[in-house]
């Protein structure tokens, strides 16, 4: 079934097409949700809400060379995740961009091009490292690295300054590097 | 620093490239269940629309049947039987009413033959067509008791009787008439139905019509679900034989909702900011008195929030249709046909009906239009059935269940793949200019 015909059937709420859409895209999108939410339970909620939004907005989606289905679905899922985080922030679990986690003053210059990490651990371990980041760091890191938003866009979307976005990213990098180092250290021991 | 060259970024991006995590099966079931619910709601709405369309069609067909069918009540029919007919054979029939004329013959008295086309005795002078008028004493105008009475008293003028019966073609009244000795006359049917035929020929001629129309319309496949619009205007038609061309100008009024997405920071309040302090001695120079210079500073939350305000607008379109018509059935009062043609819509005006969005003291970061602007020009193809009724030869009333398909969306940069379409019921009152 081609993507276009699949979409037509999904718009008509064909049960088989709905199943196929979910089976084809849910694993990738669930990975995205895990990255943003940091835990499985919240990621499941976001995935569900995101898929319902996708279904509601699908009649308005126009496939084209500059707009592929997967990219469009990912954008919806990211927005759903951000809304979910904002909602949580309302419930006094604010995403703080300056006070979360330990204070690490680090500049990007501390990293060099020669920094290499030869062994890539299990993807689940990588995912866990990202999940362990404080919410603010994690959100900025995901948006910048995986969704490739600029700091200006991130600042606009999260309602913070560009400087805050940059510092959050730097701190996230440092934390991740330390996490990687500790993982490699453990592996060396064994 | 280059965004993609940072080793940590590259490392994590590569590590999680095409990463998949299998979601739990319960999530899949929940999604399919929810999707089914929304699908059912949509189907229900479509069924409702279909039902309304069918009701409209049945209503239109019912009106057509009513205005064309023989729906005269029985009582009225009986009364018409006892009254003198409108169409009479002049001359021999209206001459010399007999003295001692009586009237008020009941329906039962004249209802001998139940059908006007029923075979009658040889002496009966009336047949359905052509109409034979009695001209000799041996001829008896009617059958039944009257006939017997006359037969028993030959040569005596018949008592005054008034009787009539209805034929599918003509209604003939028998006034009392004496035996006159005239030869039987044949009244041709053309003479009797002259007026009716005139009307039929009028419909067949070519001519012009001008009229006004009004049409409620329901649109589908728009960004705002179903939309209701009122169309009204003037139109002119040229008709020849069974064909017609109609054009005109009309106005279409519709309301629309524009949804905005506002990104903002909540206003949290103010604090007093100390700008400076100055000190001076009191008069005795025993105490230093400070003076604080404060300014109020607003504070906003750093968390970005989204709001989706709606602005209601009214749109006015100028519509120019060019409809081609063909009547495939017609009689002297009604016609039934189809109308198809393009319609050009040009947006003339849009007026905001609701107030502007007021963010209050919140800090607005960005305002984005979710609903795109309306397009200023679009084309539609319209088609429908036409029921036309002529109460007299000059005025006509038309009823047109109509469907329209929009060749382009009514919105700019619309992402809706399906084109809008609409259904409506057009009512037209028009005047034949040629007469």
């Amino acid at each position: 079934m081609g993507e276009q015909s699949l979409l037509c059937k999904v718009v008509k709420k064909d049960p088989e097409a709905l199943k196929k859409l979910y089976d084809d895209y849910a694993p990738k999108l669930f990975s995205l949700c895990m990255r943003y939410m940091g835990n499985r339970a919240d990621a499941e909620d976001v995935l569900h809400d995101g898929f319902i939004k996708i279904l509601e907005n699908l009649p308005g989606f126009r496939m084209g060379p500059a707009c592929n289905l997967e990219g469009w679905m990912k954008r919806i899922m990211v927005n759903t995740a951000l809304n979910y985080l904002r909602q949580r922030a309302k419930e006094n679990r604010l995403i703080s961009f300056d006070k979360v986690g330990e204070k690490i003053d680090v500049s990007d210059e501390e990293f060099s091009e020669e920094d290499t990490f030869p062994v890539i651990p299990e993807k689940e371990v990588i995912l866990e490292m990202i999940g362990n980041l404080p919410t603010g760091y994690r959100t900025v890191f995901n948006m910048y690295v995986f969704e490739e938003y600029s700091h200006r866009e991130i600042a606009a979307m999260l309602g913070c300054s560009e400087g805050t976005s940059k510092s959050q990213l730097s701190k996230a990098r440092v934390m991740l590097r330390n996490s990687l180092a500790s993982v490699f250290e453990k592996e060396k021991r064994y | 620093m280059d965004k993609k060259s940072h080793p940590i970024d590259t490392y994590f991006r590569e590590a999680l490239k095409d990463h998949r995590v299998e979601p739990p099966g319960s999530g899949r079931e929940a999604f399919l269940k929810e999707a089914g619910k929304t699908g059912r709601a949509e189907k229900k709405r479509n069924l409702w629309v279909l039902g309304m369309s069918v009701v409209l069609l049945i209503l239109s067909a019912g009106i057509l049947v009513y205005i064309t069918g023989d729906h005269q009540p029985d009582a009225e029919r009986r009364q018409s039987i006892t009254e003198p007919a409108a169409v009479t054979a002049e001359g021999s029939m209206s001459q010399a009413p007999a003295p001692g004329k009586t009237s008020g013959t009941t329906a039962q008295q004249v209802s001998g033959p139940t059908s006007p086309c029923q075979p009658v005795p040889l002496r009966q002078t009336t047949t359905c067509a052509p109409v034979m008028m009695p001209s000799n004493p041996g001829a008896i105008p009617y059958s039944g008791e009257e006939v017997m009475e006359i037969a028993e008293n030959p040569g005596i003028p018949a008592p005054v009787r008034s009787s009539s019966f209805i034929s599918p073609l003509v209604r003939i009244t028998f006034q009392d008439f004496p035996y006159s000795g005239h030869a039987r006359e044949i009244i041709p049917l053309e003479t009797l139905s002259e007026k009716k035929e005139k009307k039929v020929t009028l419909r067949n001629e070519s001519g012009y019509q001008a009229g006004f129309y009004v049409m409620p319309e329901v649109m589908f496949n728009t960004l705002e679900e179903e939309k209701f619009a009122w169309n009204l205007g003037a139109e002119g038609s040229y008709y020849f034989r069974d064909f017609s061309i109609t054009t005109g100008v009309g106005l279409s009024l519709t309301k629309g909702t524009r949804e905005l997405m506002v990104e903002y920071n909540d206003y949290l309040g103010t604090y007093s900011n100390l700008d400076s302090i100055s000190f001076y001695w009191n008069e005795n120079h025993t105490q230093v008195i400070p003076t604080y210079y404060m300014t109020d500073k607003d504070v906003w939350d750093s968390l970005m929030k989204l709001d989706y305000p709606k602005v209601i607008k009214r749109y006015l379109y100028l519509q120019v249709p060019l409809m081609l018509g063909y009547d495939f059935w017609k009689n002297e009062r009604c016609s039934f046909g189809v109308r198809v043609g393009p319609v050009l819509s040009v947006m003339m005006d849009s007026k905001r009906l609701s107030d502007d969005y007021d963010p209050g003291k919140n800090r607005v970061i960005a305002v984005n239009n979710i609903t795109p602007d309306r397009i200023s020009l679009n084309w539609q193809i319209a088609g429908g059935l036409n029921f036309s009724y002529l109460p007299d030869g000059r005025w006509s009333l038309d009823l047109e269940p109509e469907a329209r398909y929009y060749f382009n969306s009514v919105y700019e940069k619309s992402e809706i793949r399906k084109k809008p379409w609409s259904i409506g019921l057009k009512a037209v009152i028009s005047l034949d200019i040629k007469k």
Side-chain angles (χ1 to χ4, degrees):
Chain A
M1 197 188 296
E3 217 168 45
Q4 189 68 50
S5 65
L6 174 71
L7 288 187
C8 291
K9 288 184 178 176
V10 169
V11 168
K12 290 174 187 168
K13 306 286 184 333
D14 178 56
E16 288 305 315
L18 286 169
K19 278 180 196 170
K20 184 163 172 51
L21 181 84
Y22 192 88
D23 292 343
D24 285 358
Y25 293 99
K28 273 188 182 178
L29 296 175
F30 192 52
S31 167
L32 181 149
C33 295
M34 289 282 287
R35 273 197 283 113
Y36 275 85
M37 305 314 298
N39 67 77
R40 206 175 168 88
D42 287 347
E44 282 175 19
D45 288 347
V46 170
L47 182 75
H48 177 79
D49 291 353
F51 255 104
I52 296 300
K53 277 187 186 171
I54 286 167
L55 205 60
E56 285 170 357
N57 290 291
L58 207 54
F61 173 70
R62 186 180 287 169
M63 197 178 282
C67 190
N68 67 67
L69 180 63
E70 191 177 320
W72 179 75
M73 289 171 83
K74 275 185 175 175
R75 278 204 303 279
I76 287 187
M77 209 53 82
V78 167
N79 285 332
T80 311
L82 293 179
N83 282 336
Y84 194 91
L85 290 170
R86 285 188 195 108
Q87 194 63 35
R88 277 207 325 193
K90 271 186 184 174
E91 297 159 8
N92 296 325
R93 294 163 71 186
L94 281 163
I95 312 168
S96 168
F97 292 100
D98 294 315
K99 293 175 183 173
V100 176
E102 54 187 320
K103 283 278 181 188
I104 306 167
D105 290 324
V106 64
S107 64
D108 289 333
E109 284 68 32
E110 284 185 40
F111 293 93
S112 68
E113 294 297 320
E114 285 73 39
D115 276 347
T116 51
F117 307 95
V119 184
I120 293 178
E122 288 292 316
K123 289 186 175 181
E124 278 63 35
V125 177
I126 296 284
L127 202 61
E128 197 181 328
M129 285 179 196
I130 297 173
N132 286 337
L133 289 172
T135 310
Y137 295 3
R138 189 172 65 234
T139 307
V140 173
F141 183 79
N142 275 319
M143 293 174 80
Y144 187 85
V145 175
F146 295 99
E147 273 61 61
E148 301 186 355
Y149 287 113
S150 66
H151 283 298
R152 180 185 290 269
E153 288 168 323
I154 292 169
M157 290 174 80
L158 297 181
C160 61
S161 67
E162 281 186 54
T164 305
S165 173
K166 283 177 185 171
S167 71
Q168 300 284 300
L169 180 67
S170 291
K171 290 166 188 172
R173 281 170 180 159
V174 170
M175 280 189 78
L176 287 172
R177 196 182 67 162
N178 293 340
S179 301
L180 276 174
S182 65
V183 168
F184 294 139
E185 201 65 34
K186 278 181 189 172
E187 281 186 357
K188 275 182 187 175
R189 281 182 202 161
Y190 296 108
Chain B
M1 193 175 62
D2 184 13
K3 183 176 180 175
K4 291 184 181 176
S5 65
H6 198 285
I8 287 283
D9 295 358
T10 312
Y11 180 84
F12 277 87
R13 197 180 297 123
E14 288 299 316
L16 290 180
K17 193 178 178 184
D18 294 328
H19 182 231
R20 289 163 170 263
V21 181
E22 208 59 44
S26 59
R28 182 175 183 259
E29 294 307 315
F31 164 68
L32 292 175
K33 197 175 173 184
E34 189 103 353
K37 272 184 196 171
T38 54
R40 273 196 294 276
E42 212 164 86
K43 275 182 189 171
K44 201 174 173 183
R45 194 172 62 232
N46 288 343
L47 275 175
W48 185 84
V49 170
L50 190 70
M52 285 301 290
S53 308
V54 169
V55 166
L56 269 178
L57 275 176
I58 290 172
L59 203 67
S60 307
I63 291 168
L64 180 76
V65 169
Y66 179 77
I67 58 181
T68 55
D70 183 12
H71 50 82
Q72 205 176 15
D74 288 345
E76 200 180 323
R77 187 195 300 262
R78 279 193 212 105
Q79 194 182 350
S80 74
I81 289 169
T82 57
E83 286 171 355
V87 181
T88 57
E90 288 181 9
S92 61
M93 283 187 76
S94 59
Q95 283 173 2
K101 181 176 178 177
T102 58
S103 61
T105 310
T106 60
Q108 285 82 358
Q109 282 175 308
V110 296
S111 62
T114 52
S115 163
C117 293
Q118 192 173 322
V120 293
L122 283 174
R123 292 167 72 190
Q124 186 174 344
T125 59
T126 304
T127 57
C128 288
V131 181
M132 309 293 289
M133 300 307 294
S135 58
N136 62 58
I140 304 302
Y142 205 69
S143 60
E145 289 178 5
E146 281 183 3
V147 173
M148 293 305 292
E149 192 180 344
I150 293 165
E152 286 166 10
N153 303 286
I156 301 167
V160 177
R161 291 284 188 272
S162 174
S163 61
S164 67
F165 64 86
I166 305 295
S167 132
L169 300 174
V170 292
R171 187 174 66 180
I172 299 170
T173 300
F174 289 94
Q175 296 282 352
D176 312 337
F177 53 85
Y179 298 122
S180 58
H182 293 300
R184 290 185 180 185
E185 290 173 10
I186 297 174
I187 302 170
L189 273 179
E190 288 93 38
T191 313
L192 297 174
S193 58
E194 191 177 351
K195 282 185 182 176
K196 287 181 181 177
E197 283 197 356
K198 256 190 180 178
K199 281 179 184 173
V200 174
T201 50
L202 280 171
R203 291 286 294 182
N204 290 330
E205 288 170 3
S206 60
Y208 297 95
Q209 277 189 328
F212 295 97
Y213 70 85
V214 61
M215 184 176 88
E217 181 187 3
V218 184
M219 280 177 70
F220 303 92
N221 278 354
T222 67
L223 289 175
E224 303 154 61
E225 303 290 332
E226 293 90 358
K227 287 204 64 59
F228 187 78
W230 275 105
N231 301 290
L232 61 156
E235 64 177 28
S237 305
Y238 172 68
Y239 62 89
F240 54 99
R241 295 179 191 165
D242 295 332
F243 300 94
S244 66
I245 299 176
T246 305
T247 187
V249 284
L251 295 173
S252 176
L253 262 175
T254 182
K255 277 184 188 175
T257 308
R258 280 186 67 189
E259 196 174 8
L260 308 169
M261 185 178 77
V262 180
E263 297 169 0
Y264 69 96
N265 295 138
D266 262 338
Y267 177 73
L268 298 178
T270 58
Y271 70 91
S272 296
N273 186 55
L274 178 63
D275 292 330
S276 60
I277 308 173
S278 65
F279 300 92
Y280 66 94
W281 292 102
N282 64 354
E283 287 178 356
N284 302 328
H285 286 258
T286 55
Q287 195 178 357
V288 176
I289 298 170
T291 305
Y292 301 95
Y293 295 94
M294 316 281 283
T295 51
D296 284 342
K297 295 275 186 185
D298 292 325
V299 184
W300 288 275
D301 196 355
S302 61
L303 184 73
M304 188 190 75
K305 289 184 175 177
L306 296 175
D307 194 8
Y308 298 92
K310 289 179 178 177
V311 178
I312 299 169
K313 293 186 90 173
R314 188 176 61 202
Y315 299 94
L316 181 68
Y317 287 89
L318 178 74
Q319 293 193 325
V320 183
L322 181 64
M323 306 293 283
L324 306 175
Y326 174 68
D327 292 336
F328 44 79
W329 178 85
K330 63 168 71 170
N331 66 12
E332 69 273 14
R333 287 205 182 278
C334 302
S335 68
F336 181 52
V338 288
R339 303 284 183 269
V340 179
V343 180
L344 173 70
S345 273
V346 183
M347 190 166 76
M348 295 179 69
D349 185 40
S350 64
K351 188 180 178 184
R352 194 172 53 237
L353 299 178
S354 59
D355 293 334
D356 275 337
Y357 170 69
D358 180 16
K361 287 189 170 179
N362 294 337
R363 183 166 60 188
V364 175
I365 300 164
V367 180
N368 300 307
N369 280 330
I370 293 180
T371 313
D373 280 337
R374 288 266 185 147
I375 203 164
S376 58
L377 187 146
N378 66 39
W379 283 95
Q380 304 139 36
I381 180 89
L385 300 172
N386 174 275
F387 304 102
S388 187
Y389 172 61
L390 289 92
D392 60 22
R394 198 165 171 79
W395 292 93
S396 71
L397 299 167
D398 291 55
L399 206 60
E400 258 180 58
E402 189 179 289
R404 289 186 182 189
Y405 178 78
Y406 290 67
F407 285 119
N408 46 358
S409 173
V410 292
Y411 302 102
E412 288 175 353
K413 299 173 188 171
S414 174
E415 290 187 341
I416 286 192
R417 285 179 299 140
K418 289 181 180 175
K419 299 285 193 308
W421 60 279
S422 68
I423 53 169
L425 186 64
K426 186 177 175 183
V428 189
I429 180 164
S430 49
L431 177 71
D432 202 313
I433 297 174
K434 197 182 173 185
K435 292 179 184 179

